[in-house]
Amino acid sequence: MSGVQTRTITHDDAEMRIDRWLRKEFPHLTQGRIEKMCRKGELRVDGGRVKPNARLEYGQKVRIPPLSEADSQPAPVALRKINKSDTKMIQDCVLWKDEHIIALNKPPGLPSQGGSGQGERHVDGLAEALKFGYKEKPKLVHRLDKDTSGLLLLARTPRVARALSEALRHRNVRKIYWAAVAGQPSPKAGSIKYGLLKAPGRGQRGEGEKMQCIHPRDVATTEGAKRSHTDYAIQDTAGTRMTWVALVPITGRTHQLRAHMAEIGHPIVGDGKYGGSSSENAGDGWGAGVGGEISRKLHLHARTLIIEHPIKKEMITLQAPLPEHMQRTWDYVGWNVDHAPLDPFNMDDDRS
């Protein structure tokens, strides 16, 4: 029998159900055994009892009771063959790399990792094609939503993965997103501090979990709600119809930017989950659809990432070009990416 184990949840495993996470880590465990561990309180997360369908969060500590020799066998390493087109696609996404880190410009529609309904084609699986001479594939240290494009970091060694995860956990990374939103927010720059609470989705395109915004004054008294903070700044406008905004997630909650912008009446263009036709839109239309020649794909892009290199201890600034559908929108309305400041929230930075 193995002894009691305590494991800390990484970015890669955040949002997974605990029963699925356990079967990934210990493939010989049966669902019945996992459910029994939960019923008896042997399996605990941050010291508390959990149900088999509980979702894990980054940084949580999972207590695993002693397992039999058979149950504690590690998961077998499954080598997936990646076809030539997928190999070329994911290698073409590489924006920058050195011997420690790989930075990708993730295309929209490609999940960061596997999960419910995501299939086998995702960045984590395709990372086998990003070894570039190393024995092990690089490891994701954070994620983007499937339909969000832009900068995604992978660590090439366990040491770097730990360092980057720690930097992300302590918010020692500057992440700036670009989005096109319906209408024109007022004031031109501000902060959104609604708390977020997981709630069931609704509507034909909103199946699954959604995040519900909770007024800041009610977060402390709402079970499950978490404080959340987003800063925004207007970059340019297309009249009152649509606005180019820069967004900085001060906290890193699920769907935070999408839920926050929809809550203030300016859903991100193309966001069917948070900007359905019944959603409030302070612009000229309804929800996240602005009509005309504008693509219906989500207009949210992880544009800039500024971080201290965990080994070389020098600052790295990375920028990812817009995906094709967003660049078409920018061209259509006459927005010029070359005139945008590196960090619109830093008044000392001016590229114009």
Side-chain angles (χ1 to χ4, degrees):
M1 299 285 287
S2 66
V4 173
Q5 302 179 55
T6 300
R7 297 198 182 183
T8 302
I9 298 302
T10 66
H11 280 286
D12 287 354
D13 295 327
E15 300 298 324
M16 285 187 70
R17 285 172 47 138
I18 193 168
D19 54 355
R20 293 172 183 165
W21 176 78
L22 279 168
R23 290 202 302 273
K24 177 175 75 73
E25 298 294 313
F26 306 102
H28 301 309
L29 272 179
T30 64
Q31 183 68 18
R33 174 76 173 102
I34 294 171
E35 292 177 0
K36 184 177 181 181
M37 288 160 57
C38 291
R39 284 197 307 272
K40 296 179 68 175
E42 297 173 335
L43 183 69
R44 291 181 175 262
V45 176
D46 287 345
R49 299 170 72 107
V50 289
K51 295 182 179 180
N53 64 351
R55 297 277 178 179
L56 294 166
E57 297 181 6
Y58 171 68
Q60 287 184 323
K61 296 188 181 300
V62 181
R63 177 196 182 275
I64 304 165
L67 302 176
S68 68
E69 192 67 28
D71 287 341
S72 62
Q73 293 298 311
V77 177
L79 297 177
R80 180 187 169 217
K81 291 185 178 179
I82 303 172
N83 61 43
K84 290 183 178 179
S85 63
D86 278 348
T87 296
K88 182 178 186 307
M89 182 276 294
I90 198 67
Q91 290 182 353
D92 285 347
C93 291
V94 175
L95 274 178
W96 179 89
K97 69 180 175 72
D98 66 4
E99 62 270 33
H100 306 289
I101 300 169
I102 295 174
L104 300 181
N105 185 8
K106 187 188 82 67
L110 181 67
S112 294
Q113 62 187 122
S116 178
Q118 301 292 6
E120 295 297 320
R121 190 172 182 267
H122 46 75
V123 173
D124 187 44
L126 297 176
E128 286 287 343
L130 298 174
K131 291 196 265 189
F132 299 119
Y134 281 42
K135 291 183 179 180
E136 301 295 329
K137 72 176 186 179
K139 184 179 179 62
L140 278 168
V141 293
H142 64 122
R143 298 180 303 164
L144 293 174
D145 290 345
K146 176 181 177 181
D147 294 321
T148 302
S149 58
L151 279 160
L152 195 60
L153 292 183
L154 295 91
R156 304 189 72 182
T157 65
R159 175 191 176 192
V160 174
R162 289 191 295 271
L164 289 176
S165 294
E166 194 69 13
L168 288 158
R169 184 178 184 182
H170 293 288
R171 302 173 193 164
N172 295 329
V173 179
R174 184 70 166 167
K175 293 189 285 186
I176 302 171
Y177 290 72
W178 281 0
V181 302
Q184 183 176 320
S186 180
K188 292 183 177 181
S191 295
I192 308 167
K193 296 184 178 180
Y194 283 93
L196 292 171
L197 173 69
K198 285 185 180 178
R202 296 179 181 177
Q204 198 170 31
R205 296 183 62 190
E207 291 81 3
E209 291 181 334
K210 288 180 65 174
M211 304 307 292
Q212 175 186 346
C213 284
I214 305 297
H215 195 281
R217 66 169 176 265
D218 299 323
V219 172
T221 56
T222 303
E223 184 178 358
K226 295 183 177 179
R227 296 196 178 277
S228 304
H229 180 181
T230 299
D231 287 341
Y232 76 86
I234 290 178
Q235 302 300 285
D236 208 340
T237 62
T240 59
R241 180 185 182 194
M242 187 169 58
T243 302
W244 166 15
V245 294
L247 301 167
V248 170
I250 305 303
T251 53
R253 311 300 184 197
T254 301
H255 294 175
Q256 176 178 315
L257 303 181
R258 297 165 64 182
H260 273 176
M261 294 311 297
E263 182 65 21
I264 66 170
H266 300 284
I268 295 173
V269 172
D271 192 349
K273 181 180 282 286
Y274 291 94
S277 59
S278 61
S279 302
E280 180 183 354
N281 175 342
D284 296 334
W286 294 269
V290 295
E293 300 296 320
I294 306 303
S295 170
R296 294 185 180 182
K297 291 182 179 180
L298 184 69
H299 284 57
L300 179 61
H301 179 69
R303 167 67 174 180
T304 303
L305 191 148
I306 304 170
I307 186 172
E308 183 183 68
H309 195 290
I311 305 301
K312 300 177 181 179
K313 301 303 179 182
E314 60 188 26
M315 297 305 295
I316 304 170
T317 299
L318 302 167
Q319 285 194 299
L322 290 172
E324 183 181 356
H325 74 282
M326 288 182 67
Q327 188 60 61
R328 286 200 309 268
T329 296
W330 262 237
D331 292 342
Y332 178 71
V333 298
W335 293 339
N336 190 334
V337 298
D338 295 331
H339 294 168
L342 175 68
D343 186 344
F345 302 89
N346 181 355
M347 300 307 293
D348 294 329
D349 177 51
D350 186 359
R351 289 190 172 186
S352 57

